[in-house]
Amino acid sequence: MTAATLTSPLDVLKTRLQSDFYQSQLQSLRASHPMPPSSSLASLPRSAIMHFSETFQILRSIHVHEGWRALFKGLGPNLIGVVPARAINFYVYGNGKRILSEYFNYHDAQKTPVGVHLTAAAVAGIATGTATNPIWLVKTRLQLDKSNAEIGKGRQYTNSWDCIKQTVRHEGIRGLYKGLSASYLGVTESTLQWVMYEQMKMYLSRREMAKRADPNYTYGTWDDVEVWGGRICSAGMAKLVAAAATYPHEVVRTRLRQAPTVALGDGKVQMKYTGLVQCFKTVWVEEGMVGLYGGLTPHLLRVVPSAAIMFGM
């Protein structure tokens, strides 16, 4: 809950940049600060600085035009979702790892193979995604609801419960599980994060045991700081690599939950994104690879400290 609250503004920004409602604002920012095309490595630092600048300009515009409360839009369902999501994930992962270790007779925690961590993390990710998808769908739609007000239609949802009722009324119970296929694809992220974290944690543990086993070594306060700091940094680094490597599924999941429509004529409309693969193809064709990484900067700025805070606490 602490991590979700502290990083809420970046979560709101990430969701908006992942959606297709805010591409015009991003394009206008880029038009006002044009950059000559370049494929050289020398241009990468400038591109990175430009990307951070865009991110914080849009964050500031949300505060200026909508007020500071808009930076915490969707925090309610987010907090409601964080507690069961983390509880389920840690419970299933921890017990899955224990059961698998006992079944295959791996009694030494320092020698538990990667396969055990990988399997336990995959099962935990699937269980968490299935149980909490409706909560994240409501959170996403509340965060994007401002777009309706901008085009003169007024807000579509008054609160979380109203969002649930309208979704079930118009899309059925299955509507609450839109984006679930992308969440299952996202299990690769949580799995990679858990495996990397466990490996780094075991390295730190072996290092600490070696120090304590040395009769000539004086164990002090700095060693305690190194252990705790190392674990927190391990959590952040594991999340950084996992999130960057698997990010496109986040964009596709947001688009599926957002559920935009396209006009067919004669007053008829249809869903723009109808499935996981079709959504990937549509974003790729219309926006290119850049579209699949929309909102990556605020996402990394949010999830890396969030993981460090969560694992640390």
Side-chain angles (χ1 to χ4, degrees), residues 32-303:
S32 62
H33 299 84
M35 286 183 62
S38 175
S39 58
S40 67
L41 290 176
S43 67
L44 289 178
R46 186 181 175 190
S47 298
I49 293 172
M50 182 65 186
H51 196 44
F52 273 93
S53 176
E54 289 175 348
T55 298
F56 288 105
Q57 281 186 61
I58 295 178
L59 191 63
R60 183 176 179 276
S61 74
I62 294 174
H63 173 264
V64 170
H65 297 111
E66 304 172 46
W68 66 269
R69 293 172 66 93
L71 296 173
F72 295 88
K73 190 71 174 176
L75 180 59
N78 193 20
L79 289 175
I80 293 171
V82 159
V83 175
R86 298 310 177 205
I88 292 168
N89 193 267
F90 276 81
Y91 179 83
V92 176
Y93 176 76
N95 282 283
K97 184 173 68 170
R98 177 181 57 79
I99 292 169
L100 288 169
S101 296
E102 291 176 355
Y103 182 80
F104 291 106
N105 294 317
Y106 296 117
H107 299 296
D108 187 351
Q110 297 300 319
K111 296 180 180 179
T112 305
V114 173
V116 170
H117 298 150
L118 192 149
T119 304
V123 173
I126 292 172
T128 304
T130 303
T132 61
N133 194 81
I135 298 172
W136 305 129
L137 179 132
V138 170
K139 187 204 76 162
T140 300
R141 293 193 175 182
L142 286 177
Q143 286 181 337
L144 296 174
D145 196 29
K146 177 65 171 60
S147 60
N148 289 322
E150 288 181 345
I151 59 177
K153 291 184 178 180
R155 295 194 181 277
Q156 184 177 355
Y157 310 114
T158 56
N159 50 45
S160 300
W161 179 240
D162 182 54
C163 181
I164 294 172
K165 289 193 294 184
Q166 289 195 44
T167 300
V168 173
R169 186 185 307 127
H170 298 128
E171 304 169 45
I173 295 295
R174 292 182 63 181
L176 295 173
Y177 288 89
K178 283 189 173 177
L180 183 59
S181 55
S183 291
Y184 286 158
L185 184 62
V187 169
T188 55
E189 178 186 339
S190 61
T191 301
L192 181 60
Q193 179 190 356
W194 269 116
V195 170
M196 292 182 63
Y197 175 69
E198 288 283 7
Q199 294 302 307
M200 288 187 279
K201 193 171 69 170
M202 283 195 293
Y203 168 77
L204 291 169
S205 199
R206 287 194 295 267
R207 178 179 168 85
E208 182 184 10
M209 289 172 63
K211 288 180 180 179
R212 291 185 180 277
D214 186 355
N216 298 319
Y217 186 84
T218 303
Y219 198 87
T221 305
W222 175 252
D223 296 289
D224 287 326
V225 172
E226 182 181 307
V227 170
W228 283 99
R231 288 176 181 171
I232 292 173
C233 290
S234 295
M237 181 60 67
K239 188 64 176 181
L240 173 65
V241 175
T246 62
Y247 185 73
H249 89 272
E250 289 264 358
V251 175
V252 171
R253 185 172 61 188
T254 295
R255 298 291 178 94
L256 289 171
R257 288 173 177 170
Q258 173 193 346
T261 57
V262 291
L264 298 176
D266 300 328
K268 296 181 179 179
V269 295
Q270 72 173 18
M271 291 292 180
K272 183 176 182 179
Y273 307 117
T274 57
L276 183 67
V277 176
Q278 184 268 350
C279 185
F280 264 113
K281 288 181 178 178
T282 302
V283 175
W284 180 274
V285 171
E286 293 182 353
E287 304 169 38
M289 183 179 290
V290 175
L292 291 172
Y293 286 88
L296 177 60
T297 299
H299 180 67
L300 293 179
L301 286 172
R302 182 184 68 88
V303 297

